Amino acid sequence: MVNICFLVVGSIKESFYREAFAEYKKRLSRYADIEVFEVKDEKTSEKASEALNNKILSAEGLRLLEKIRDNDFVVALVIDGNKTCSYGFAENISKWLCRLRGRLCFVIGGSIGLSKDVIKRADYKLSFSDMTFPHQLMRVILAEQIYRAFRIINNEPYHK
């Protein structure tokens, strides 16, 4: 069975996001072994300087990179990444699984994004929208889309 890793900055504080993610994680367990690694997020202010934000991104990035193995296929969620529809995402996952040597790792940054080093390590950069979503909600959206992709890959019905 394939191993899918959610590598995320911070934890989900709201119970409704935790419950939604848990539901999709349970549904996905039919197709893959799911691991979730949460790394500590740094406190930041909306008025933080660019230098402070870079320091925060670097600290969070180091924690993320420590969790990534050499043979992992890493998909970083970034706003300027590649956009696709659900069918295209399913096709991508199929391709990635065919050449997978380790885990399929999806990386979600914290409130100010991902460090340049994490983005550089990524094998693929994915964007769900030009809009910004809370990282807790993004975890739920990602899990749902991965679940939908596996339903598509296996020619199984899924509500539209």
Side-chain angles (χ1 to χ4, degrees):
M1 189 174 281
V2 66
N3 289 328
I4 295 179
C5 169
F6 288 76
L7 183 51
V8 298
V9 174
S11 60
I12 299 178
K13 293 162 185 58
E14 295 85 356
S15 62
F16 53 90
Y17 287 142
R18 278 195 309 271
E19 290 166 13
F21 181 76
E23 176 62 27
Y24 285 110
K25 183 179 174 194
K26 182 178 88 177
R27 292 181 188 191
L28 272 168
S29 68
R30 186 172 156 217
Y31 306 102
D33 290 324
I34 307 298
E35 296 176 288
V36 179
F37 296 99
E38 297 175 341
V39 301
K40 182 183 175 300
D41 55 342
E42 296 289 321
K43 302 291 182 242
T44 186
S45 153
E46 288 186 28
K47 297 177 183 176
S49 67
E50 185 177 344
L52 179 56
N53 280 339
N54 286 335
K55 185 176 176 182
I56 289 168
L57 286 172
S58 181
E60 292 173 347
L62 286 172
R63 290 184 197 117
L64 291 168
L65 290 168
E66 287 174 356
K67 300 288 184 189
I68 297 172
R69 301 173 189 156
D70 289 342
N71 63 348
D72 287 341
F73 187 90
V74 177
V75 179
L77 274 67
V78 292
I79 203 159
D80 62 345
N82 300 292
K83 293 181 184 75
T84 188
C85 66
S86 294
Y87 286 97
F89 186 50
E91 285 178 20
N92 284 340
I93 287 180
S94 271
K95 285 184 224 169
W96 300 334
L97 293 179
C98 285
R99 63 180 197 229
L100 199 60
R101 295 185 336 257
R103 300 174 301 179
L104 178 54
C105 249
F106 292 90
V107 184
I108 302 173
S111 60
I112 57 173
L114 289 170
S115 73
K116 291 177 184 170
D117 289 335
V118 172
I119 294 169
K120 183 177 171 184
R121 168 58 182 89
D123 297 290
Y124 189 85
K125 294 156 197 72
L126 177 66
S127 173
F128 279 90
S129 172
D130 289 333
M131 293 184 213
T132 302
F133 297 102
H135 57 280
Q136 296 94 340
L137 176 59
M138 197 62 240
R139 194 184 313 189
V140 175
I141 293 169
L142 174 62
E144 189 279 335
Q145 284 297 303
I146 296 170
Y147 173 68
R148 184 180 296 268
F150 275 100
R151 299 291 292 190
I152 292 168
I153 290 165
N154 289 287
N155 294 311
E156 297 170 348
Y158 190 80
H159 66 275
K160 296 179 181 185

